[in-house]
Amino acid sequence: MAEPQSPFLHSVAILSRGDAVARRDATPQNSRFVQVFEALAALGVEARPAIYDESFAEDIREQLLAVDGVLVWVNPIQDGRSRAGLDALLRDVAARGVWVSAHPDVILKMGTKEVLYHTRSMGWGSDTALYRTAEAMRAELPPRLATGSRVIKRNRGNGGQGVWKVERLATSPMIRVLDATKDSSEELTLDDFVRRCAEYFENGSVVDQPFQPRLGEGVVRCYMAGDRCAGFGHHKVKALIDAPAARSEAGPRLYSSNADPRFQRLRRLMEDEWTPQLTSLLNIARGDLPMIWDADFMLGPFLPDGTDSYVLGEINVSSVHPYPDEAPAEIAKRVADRLQRKL
């Protein structure tokens, strides 16, 4: 008697970080990605939870080699641990034919702060500098501060780690710095600040952008599934905001679909202009774009017709969550299409 045929055409692992207990108890139903599991199943893709930790990495390797693809949700820095071991594992399984989203090489191209420097000539760009050494930062930051406040960002990080607003003081040789994870600023010497940033150069670089005066009006996050918009998020932020009144308006991110009328110009820019320019500049194949990524935009100067301009603040690729309710369906469509073209 023939065995019943599986209703699924393809299989993917949904990988996130956790301990041995989380791995043992993981199911699609108790996952924070349950909507993604359901959307994939509806399109004939079997999704399996894959909980990762360095202590059982070899078990994960075997699990990933048994599926067609893997969707990865792991922060670049989490609980003091980096993705170094995981990225090596993912490169290995990708070399053996498993489709990986986002591939570590794609993350290095578009998911680090250096993307702000490499795409500074695009419509979302600003007067961005890149420091590869502490000595370069010590020499080049002061003349830039003479033009206004700057924002210093370590190349890899999340949650505001390694992000600072820096401004020159009019009546003192000191500078004022505000850590994005803190509520109040402090004054110190440039040398002291550079020493604080020294660890950023141990395995990376530092990006320097002009501070955007309209930051207090909020940040728009455009969610992308491949090269298509999957929704938006908007929120007033506290990070790098000095004014108490503006800080008091900060609140949670509010999500909306890709049809939100407030952001249709941004959607057109992202889908029709900026994403194609990004892939061209960074030499990323369209099919290698992450299945879920987002771009954070600050409001720049008003354009001559009175509309908003947008300045890119960062691109998130490694672990985009949460996201708009409509995003899982868009993710599933792109995954199914990508797996169909792979096989």
Side-chain angles (χ1 to χ4, degrees), residues 308-325:
D308 292 319
S309 66
Y310 296 97
V311 178
L312 182 68
E314 68 176 345
I315 290 177
N316 299 293
V317 175
S318 301
S319 187
V320 177
H321 187 272
Y323 32 65
D325 290 341

Side-chain angles (χ1 to χ4, degrees), residues 172-203:
S172 168
M174 309 280 276
I175 58 173
R176 179 179 290 119
V177 301
L178 175 60
D179 183 336
T181 66
K182 303 290 178 59
D183 291 335
S184 58
S185 60
E186 56 184 312
E187 296 179 8
L188 68 168
T189 67
L190 176 68
D191 284 344
D192 284 341
F193 177 62
V194 172
R195 277 192 285 271
R196 287 195 187 181
C197 299
E199 65 175 292
Y200 305 163
F201 297 100
E202 291 174 4
N203 56 5

